Amino acid sequence: MLRITGLSRAYGDKFAARDITLEIPSGAFIGVIGRSGAGKSTLLRMLNRLVDPSAGVIEFDGVNVTTLKGPALRSWRRRCAMIFQQFNLVGRVDVLTNVLMGRLGHMPAWRAMFKLWSHEDRVIALAALEQLDIASLATQRADQLSGGQQQRVAICRALVQEPDIILADEPIASLDPRNTKVVMDALQRINREFGITVIVNLHSLELARGYCDRLVGMAQGRVVFDDVPAALTEDVARELYGLEAGDVMAEAAAPAVAVNA
Amino acid sequence: MSSVQLHQVFMRDADAIATRHADIFGNPWGRRAPTLAVWGLIVAILFYGIWSLGFSLTLFADGLPNLGFIVRLMIPPNPETWQRVIYYLNQLIQTLGIAFLGTLCAALLAFPFSFLAAKNVVPNLLIHILSRRLFDTMRGVDTLVWALVWVNVVGLGPFAGTLAIICSDFGALAKLFSEAIEAADRKAVEGVMSSGGSDAQSVRFGIIPQVLPVITSQILYFFESNTRSATIIGVVGAGGIGLSLYEMINTLEWHQVSFIILLLLITVSAIDFVSTKLRLAIIGVRPV
């Protein structure tokens, strides 16, 4: 259970996120929706502690995550893996090593410095790559792959962390429709098969409705909607998206071909 | 809970995975052999060098008191007369002038030439190789050697020193500039081309804005470094404060020596301070 209470982040006198309170049970698939600048990324980055909250508390299974430091903080980050819009791989390094970076939290620091990955770590990395059908790319440089392949490598890196939560920040915003489906399906499978909580930021309402059990709508840093996808009415969408609401709703109303929820 | 289960899934086919990807699970020492061999070679060369150049801890330990003795003689720094202070300051200004003019002229010359040596601007292999070799030759000869040459050509004085810096830094800067140009992102060039820009325009608007910050910071660094070089070339009579420094060391005027060194330290750190400010101002704030 992830419990967020009164979480805020201010930059100067502007709030990127304001007084967010949520309860997320283990194994949920949550979509965070809203327009650009609504505070979706800030929320996810605060959960991983890449951004420090200005106020509020994040609790995971009774442990206060907001005050963690040093090894305890790194251990928390190991448990809540992050997937980024721009993949955030190390381009000049091969795919296998990129995935093995997800094992850093499981090994002594000195071994990592000399790249002395254990046999077990290698097996885990390749098993993850096989799960996502890209084991054949293991020895290629990450920057030579297509966007869809790179995002799958990033998912592998998240998986080998053996996390409790996966935070995905607009994971499909730079991908074409086919790769969008591959990546979203992979996240769904991870959620269903391994019971890993997935929190994903999405711009598209259609995808959010197709894949998520529950939607959290944000506008101007606040949570303005928190319910099952079916409860998302046109009024709510208008509040979330303002003038864009018409487009977004029309899109969502059209038959969802790409979605196999 | 879930992570334990995930771990089991990963490890389920451990042996099958190891067989399927034999190239990755092969002999770990075999994989590391090239890296280890290179490190072994580097360490071997290091020890051979120490042995063959006659490094000796005893010589070093025996000589150390001499160093302390010289330092004691240097304290306090003392130019003795005001005339000397004014003389040194004049010499220092001359040194700065040599460094400034030398760097500026070298950069102005290197800038156009660097485009010739950049493969993404001039794809002709012959021009590429010829210009690269020209740069190699120019910077292969050290500033001090260029100073000796120019002193014999144009006579003693700051003019020879400036020419020396221009020659060696032209080669170095042109090489660095052309590498910065080659590392520039092609996307910007394509953007300019796609809107109907000529080759020259695509360089002007696609490449130059990208490389300008790098080039500027390189020029500023060379100016700093040339302030030190200009001191050394003074020793061979190519102008500046170096000559006074050399004379004072030869006549064992240690108080004067330390005063000159103090002046140089202050100057170099002042230049460092100013150029850091300039560099930051030119590069601007990077988007996060």
Side-chain angles (χ1 to χ4, degrees):
Chain A
M1 167 80 84
L2 183 68
R3 181 177 283 127
I4 303 165
T5 322
L7 200 65
S8 299
R9 169 70 208 199
Y11 291 98
D13 56 357
K14 294 190 89 174
F15 278 89
R18 191 163 209 166
D19 200 22
I20 295 171
T21 298
L22 289 170
E23 272 190 16
I24 296 169
S26 289
F29 196 120
I30 310 267
V32 183
I33 53 173
R35 53 208 288 188
S36 313
K40 309 193 294 286
S41 292
T42 307
L43 172 61
L44 254 60
R45 296 171 76 88
M46 280 195 288
L47 293 182
N48 185 269
R49 291 282 313 276
L50 281 176
V51 170
D52 278 321
S54 316
V57 176
I58 305 164
E59 261 180 294
F60 185 74
D61 289 346
V63 177
N64 185 348
V65 172
T66 4
T67 53
L68 295 179
K69 283 196 194 92
L73 173 60
R74 289 198 294 277
S75 157
W76 164 246
R77 286 185 174 146
R78 200 274 298 158
R79 294 175 69 184
C80 69
M82 191 106 190
I83 293 169
F84 301 87
Q85 178 180 343
Q86 292 300 331
F87 328 125
N88 294 21
L89 301 176
V90 185
R92 296 177 47 81
V93 169
D94 62 80
V95 165
L96 183 68
T97 309
N98 265 292
V99 175
L100 282 165
M101 285 173 203
R103 298 298 297 170
L104 292 176
H106 290 273
M107 64 197 296
W110 69 269
R111 287 195 68 130
M113 285 304 166
F114 293 101
K115 300 212 297 184
L116 295 170
W117 317 107
S118 68
H119 180 80
E120 184 178 287
D121 285 339
R122 281 173 212 274
V123 168
I124 288 172
L126 277 154
L129 286 167
E130 283 188 353
Q131 290 270 335
L132 284 147
D133 293 324
I134 46 172
S136 58
L137 304 175
T139 53
Q140 286 202 33
R141 261 173 61 157
D143 56 9
Q144 287 173 347
L145 308 185
S146 72
Q149 290 168 332
Q150 288 196 43
Q151 193 60 296
R152 279 190 273 167
V153 174
I155 292 176
C156 289
R157 180 176 64 187
L159 268 186
V160 302
Q161 288 178 227
E162 296 175 10
D164 297 306
I165 303 173
I166 287 186
L167 307 167
D169 189 7
E170 301 271 8
I172 43 95
S174 333
L175 302 180
D176 62 39
R178 200 180 62 84
N179 278 309
T180 295
K181 184 167 154 48
V182 169
V183 165
M184 289 306 295
D185 285 353
L187 288 176
Q188 188 173 51
R189 196 156 59 88
I190 290 162
N191 173 252
R192 299 227 173 125
E193 285 181 22
F194 309 123
I196 297 175
T197 310
V198 173
I199 306 177
V200 55
N201 281 352
L202 289 168
H203 192 74
S204 150
L205 257 187
E206 179 196 5
L207 282 170
R209 281 185 160 167
Y211 283 95
C212 307
D213 318 327
R214 178 174 149 199
L215 296 182
V216 172
M218 291 185 70
Q220 280 141 33
R222 293 177 193 273
V223 171
V224 293
F225 176 83
D226 182 6
D227 208 334
V228 292
L232 190 81
T233 60
E234 213 165 315
D235 285 348
V236 182
R238 196 164 297 120
E239 196 186 343
L240 280 174
Y241 288 94
L243 287 175
E244 300 163 40
D247 301 339
V248 181
M249 287 306 283
E251 210 180 278
V257 190
V259 176
N260 71 337
Chain B
M1 172 194 70
S2 63
S3 60
V4 172
Q5 190 202 338
L6 186 58
H7 192 83
Q8 281 160 357
V9 172
F10 283 147
M11 296 306 290
R12 202 168 43 200
D13 300 321
D15 295 336
I17 285 172
T19 355
R20 271 204 292 281
H21 304 281
D23 52 327
I24 288 162
F25 288 92
N27 174 14
W29 291 108
R31 240 182 307 110
R32 287 175 178 271
T35 321
L36 287 174
V38 169
W39 277 108
L41 195 66
I42 291 173
V43 172
I45 293 173
L46 175 72
F47 278 98
Y48 175 74
I50 287 174
W51 172 75
S52 71
L53 292 179
F55 273 44
S56 155
L57 276 179
T58 45
L59 274 183
F60 188 71
D62 290 349
L64 219 47
N66 291 339
L67 186 63
F69 183 62
I70 292 174
V71 170
R72 266 203 307 285
L73 285 178
M74 281 188 173
I75 297 167
N78 184 2
E80 282 160 22
T81 62
W82 278 108
Q83 276 130 318
R84 286 228 150 251
V85 175
I86 290 164
Y87 176 72
Y88 288 149
L89 283 176
N90 268 320
Q91 298 278 299
L92 188 66
I93 289 166
Q94 196 174 64
T95 301
L96 279 173
I98 294 169
F100 183 76
L101 264 183
T103 316
L104 187 66
C105 294
L108 287 177
L109 279 172
F111 188 66
F113 272 91
S114 63
F115 285 93
L116 284 183
K119 263 191 232 149
N120 53 343
V121 178
V122 181
N124 184 315
L125 196 65
L126 185 69
I127 295 179
H128 178 76
I129 291 173
L130 284 179
S131 50
R132 286 278 157 139
R133 290 300 82 78
L134 171 71
F135 303 159
D136 290 350
T137 317
M138 297 294 278
R139 74 169 190 282
V141 180
D142 190 78
T143 315
L144 191 62
V145 181
W146 276 116
L148 283 167
V149 171
W150 286 115
V151 162
N152 282 296
V153 176
V154 300
L156 294 166
F159 184 43
T162 313
L163 286 174
I165 286 185
I166 293 175
C167 286
S168 69
D169 283 9
F170 164 74
L173 284 172
K175 175 194 149 75
L176 290 171
F177 290 177
S178 67
E179 276 165 11
I181 294 165
E182 283 182 347
D185 193 349
R186 265 203 60 77
K187 277 181 268 186
V189 177
E190 264 181 8
V192 178
M193 291 276 226
S194 71
S195 18
S198 67
D199 285 348
Q201 284 163 338
S202 73
V203 169
R204 171 66 187 84
F205 293 104
I207 291 179
I208 291 184
Q210 286 192 65
V211 296
L212 220 47
V214 182
I215 286 182
T216 321
S217 76
Q218 279 163 350
I219 295 174
L220 286 169
Y221 172 72
F222 268 71
F223 177 50
E224 277 168 56
S225 140
N226 279 337
T227 312
R228 297 185 292 267
S229 300
T231 311
I232 297 299
I233 57 178
V235 174
V236 300
I241 201 167
L243 192 61
S244 309
L245 183 63
Y246 183 63
E247 281 169 354
M248 292 303 134
I249 291 174
N250 274 347
T251 51
L252 307 179
E253 298 271 3
W254 295 109
H255 297 292
Q256 305 271 348
V257 170
S258 56
F259 182 74
I260 295 174
I261 291 175
L262 205 63
L263 276 183
L264 284 170
L265 283 179
I266 294 168
T267 313
V268 169
S269 51
I271 290 173
D272 180 55
F273 177 78
V274 173
S275 74
T276 307
K277 293 268 173 211
L278 271 177
R279 189 153 45 215
L280 289 177
I282 290 162
I283 293 171
V285 184
R286 282 166 179 275
V288 182

